[in-house]
Amino acid sequence: MDPLRQLDLNLLVVFQHLLEERNISAVARRLDLSQPAVSNALRRLRETFGDELFVRTAQGMLPTPLAQGMGGPVAEALALLSHLTDAAQPFEPASSQRRLRIAMSDVGEIHFMPSLMDACARHAPGVRIDSLRLAGADLQRELDAGRVDLALGAFDGLGGGIVQRMLFRQGYATLFRSGHPRAHAGMPVRAFRAERHLIVSRAAPEGQVNQALERAGVELADQFSVPHFAAVPYIVSTTDLLATVPQKLAASAAPHFGLQLLTPPLKVPQLQTNLYWHRRFQRDGANQWLRTLIIEAFADRS
């Protein structure tokens, strides 16, 4: 314990932000400190750990191997301390300044974030929500450590300690621009297959919609592709491409981009969207509040 007595925990906060920002000026702005104060904190960190920790390069302040190795344990320790201080007082949405982090996809952001931001503005004006891209072992680790509060979507491979609740199931719809010369509701599979398609190469879970397109005879290698759903409405609205996307995204995008939609002549399993959290934070006030908000706003009542 003697080394801990000599360590100012505020230095670890500076360390974590330096690891993220790689820039002393950016850390100073983020922590509302002067640049000399951040430089002094870095000096004290170097003296404490006997290492340069961050070396100035053309790419910014790059971490040494020791600093890289410290990154995970320091972030986990600070997250646990943050939850400890939060647990010491009840969560009051109207006065809280908490920053909550949710792992979700780009299509999840389109569906969930506007309502969550509106709810925060009305009921919890000091609360901020960050969206993150994580999956698999990375998501498990961040949920375990408390650095991610919730996950929204369809995530495979989450194991011990993770609780989940189904929110809703949805099918798929095919988007096409108004005035498309051939696309129409009820078009047969042969005509559907003959059209050019926009493929979302990282469609989740496990590319099931892309597998269905292949089974229907659509040659994916011959089509245009993008990695995520967010760009799809912009592209489809100005081309004669068809794009098969989750139903809720299609219904949301169609009126804003002048798009039409049809039920694709494909057999695609329904997409299930779940809410995930770690059992350690089952009774955490902020986590409970956010879960309740999401369930009330988005859970299927049928």
Side-chain angles (χ1 to χ4, degrees), residues 17-292:
H17 286 295
L18 276 170
L19 201 59
E20 295 172 358
E21 299 286 353
R22 312 289 175 91
N23 182 282
I24 287 177
S25 298
V27 172
R29 288 193 298 271
R30 193 166 171 181
L31 295 177
D32 196 22
L33 297 172
S34 66
Q35 290 189 38
V38 175
S39 296
N40 183 57
L42 178 56
R43 178 186 60 78
R44 293 172 62 195
L45 282 164
R46 286 167 169 165
E47 291 174 353
T48 299
F49 292 100
D51 188 87
E52 282 292 295
L53 296 179
F54 296 92
V55 178
R56 192 180 302 277
T57 73
Q59 290 75 43
M61 301 288 289
L62 295 186
T64 65
L66 177 62
Q68 287 181 315
M70 290 169 54
V74 167
E76 184 170 353
L78 291 176
L80 290 172
L81 286 171
S82 176
H83 281 289
L84 179 63
T85 56
D86 291 333
Q89 52 189 343
F91 177 73
E92 297 291 347
S95 58
S96 175
Q97 300 293 311
R98 283 281 294 271
R99 182 172 290 275
L100 301 170
R101 309 179 84 199
I102 306 177
M104 65 180 87
S105 67
D106 63 325
V107 71
E109 288 171 344
I110 294 169
H111 183 64
F112 293 111
M113 287 298 280
S115 294
L116 292 178
M117 291 175 177
D118 179 64
C120 285
R122 288 186 288 114
H123 304 298
V127 171
R128 294 294 178 266
I129 295 177
D130 294 335
S131 171
L132 303 146
R133 296 281 193 282
L134 289 167
D138 291 335
L139 177 56
Q140 178 80 49
R141 182 175 60 252
E142 297 300 292
L143 286 166
D144 288 346
R147 292 189 292 268
V148 168
D149 297 282
L150 301 173
L152 281 168
F155 295 101
D156 295 326
L158 296 181
I162 304 302
V163 183
Q164 71 180 61
R165 186 209 195 273
M166 190 192 81
L167 292 176
F168 54 81
R169 293 188 179 95
Q170 61 178 315
Y172 289 83
T174 298
L175 290 169
F176 60 97
R177 70 172 180 86
S178 296
H180 192 290
R182 293 169 301 278
H184 58 85
M187 66 188 301
V189 67
R190 179 177 296 181
F192 183 85
R193 183 172 56 232
E195 290 299 320
R196 294 188 305 158
H197 294 259
L198 178 62
I199 305 300
V200 180
S201 58
R202 296 182 186 175
E206 299 179 0
Q208 62 185 22
V209 66
N210 294 341
Q211 294 169 13
L213 287 166
E214 283 191 306
R215 287 194 299 269
V218 175
E219 294 289 342
L220 300 190
D222 295 338
Q223 311 301 324
F224 294 98
S225 72
V226 292
H228 304 294
F229 285 106
V232 167
Y234 293 91
I235 297 170
V236 173
S237 65
T238 57
T239 68
D240 284 341
L241 299 175
L242 307 186
T244 302
V245 302
Q247 176 69 45
K248 291 183 183 294
L249 173 62
S252 174
H256 294 289
F257 290 88
L259 301 175
Q260 302 294 314
L261 53 89
L262 60 89
T263 301
L266 310 170
K267 291 184 179 179
V268 191
Q270 284 201 320
L271 178 61
Q272 180 169 310
T273 296
N274 300 322
L275 173 63
Y276 305 82
W277 66 95
H278 200 284
R279 186 173 286 111
R280 289 199 300 123
F281 304 106
Q282 178 78 16
R283 298 187 180 278
D284 176 79
N287 198 294
Q288 286 182 317
W289 173 78
L290 187 55
R291 294 197 314 261
T292 300

